[in-house]
């Protein structure tokens, strides 16, 4: 039984998608804790209502990144995770933290990496005139929004899109690919070969959104 710890900063809709898939599909895994760096983050209430263990490590209560990360690490280690997930966790993590959890630390980013790492991905994709946007689940390495790609989803960009509409379309596919990536990880279906992630049975590591103009 693999133990999953999820870090959030806000709404936590990806965390919800993962917890729901885990429960509904009876994965050989469980969410051991949900930890937020923001007191009162929306996702914490949902997690508590599910009976999940929750905690808050407020970054503003710490003098610097090092003490914040030490407190966060202590809180995480209490749950001895096999897998640590960043799900809308809005703090940059140091190389030391990332290396501690190397190989068992995943993130979701709302762009087709390596394009548009960092913030305001949808605005930047629209400004660049992109015709396709998407989301990426990847293993975390010390470089921000980099690291071996597990799974990507592409969605169309429509001429009349604004940031909010594009974000909604991308979020809908995030809720499909993050649970998929975690499902693969907990069932040992992923292999890291030459710095790239391969699925054991060559399952497609992409998803193309085929709905209409949602
Ligand atoms: C998602 O778009 C995720 O890709 C990004 O932040 C957003 C978090 O949303 N890193 P939620 O908190 O999972 O609802």
């Amino acid at each position: 039984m693999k133990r999953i710890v999820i870090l959030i900063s806000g709404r936590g809709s990806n965390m919800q998608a993962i917890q729901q898939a885990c429960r509904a599909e009876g994965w050989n895994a469980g969410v051991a804790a949900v930890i937020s760096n923001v007191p009162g983050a929306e996702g914490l209430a949902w997690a508590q209502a599910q009976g999940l263990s929750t905690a808050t490590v407020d970054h503003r209560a710490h003098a610097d990144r090092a003490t914040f990360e030490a407190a966060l690490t202590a809180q995480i280690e209490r749950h001895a995770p096999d897998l640590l997930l960043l799900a809308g966790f809005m703090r940059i993590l140091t190389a030391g933290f990332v290396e501690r959890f190397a190989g068992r630390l995943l993130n979701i980013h709302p762009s087709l990496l390596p394009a548009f790492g960092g913030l305001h991905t949808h605005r930047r994709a629209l400004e660049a005139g992109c015709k396709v946007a998407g989301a990426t689940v990847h293993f975390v390495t010390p470089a921000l929004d980099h690291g071996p790609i597990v799974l990507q989803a592409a969605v169309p960009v429509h001429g009349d899109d604004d940031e909010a509409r594009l974000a909604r379309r991308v979020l809908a596919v995030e809720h499909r690919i993050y649970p998929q990536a975690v499902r693969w990880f907990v069932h040992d279906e992923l292999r890291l070969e030459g710095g790239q992630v391969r699925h054991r049975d060559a399952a497609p590591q992409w998803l193309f959104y085929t709905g209409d103009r949602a």
Side-chain angles (χ1 to χ4, degrees):
M1 185 85 166
K2 295 245 168 51
R3 303 172 60 77
I4 303 170
V5 170
I6 307 181
L7 305 187
I8 65 169
S9 296
R11 179 177 56 185
S13 68
N14 279 291
M15 173 269 295
Q16 294 181 26
I18 291 160
Q19 161 66 5
Q20 280 165 341
C22 180
R23 203 166 260 187
E25 298 167 18
W27 296 353
N28 184 29
V31 176
V34 175
I35 303 172
S36 172
N37 66 308
V38 177
E42 211 182 317
L44 288 174
W46 187 90
Q48 277 154 13
Q50 294 283 306
L52 297 175
S53 164
T54 63
T56 301
V57 181
D58 185 353
H59 61 279
R60 287 165 309 186
H62 295 274
D64 52 33
R65 208 177 284 281
T67 56
F68 164 65
E69 285 191 358
L72 181 62
T73 301
Q75 192 59 249
I76 294 167
E77 293 291 16
R78 291 178 54 195
H79 302 281
D82 299 291
L83 179 58
L84 180 60
L85 302 176
L86 307 181
F89 184 70
M90 301 303 285
R91 301 303 296 171
I92 290 175
L93 296 164
T94 64
F97 181 96
V98 168
E99 273 150 19
R100 180 183 195 108
F101 297 103
R104 52 185 172 128
L105 178 56
L106 293 176
N107 180 43
I108 188 158
H109 183 75
S111 78
L112 290 172
L113 292 174
F116 306 120
L119 297 174
H120 310 302
T121 54
H122 305 305
R123 186 193 313 165
R124 288 157 60 209
L126 289 171
E127 281 168 4
C130 291
K131 310 308 177 205
V132 175
T136 303
V137 179
H138 64 99
F139 281 97
V140 177
T141 57
L144 180 68
D145 296 328
H146 270 271
I149 293 171
V150 177
L151 183 55
Q152 290 187 302
V155 306
V157 179
H158 299 302
D160 57 355
D161 273 349
D162 57 17
E163 229 178 305
R165 205 171 312 146
L166 181 56
R168 265 200 304 280
R169 193 175 307 121
V170 171
L171 191 65
V173 293
E174 291 185 43
H175 295 163
R176 294 174 59 187
I177 64 171
Y178 212 177
Q180 174 70 280
V182 175
R183 188 186 290 118
W184 284 344
F185 184 96
V186 298
H187 294 135
D188 290 322
E189 293 174 39
L190 298 175
R191 302 276 176 270
L192 209 50
E193 287 168 17
Q196 298 198 0
V197 184
R198 305 276 179 223
H199 185 269
R200 183 190 59 192
D201 307 319
Q205 287 169 259
W206 43 260
L207 173 81
F208 293 107
Y209 169 81
T210 52
D212 60 10
R213 294 172 63 89

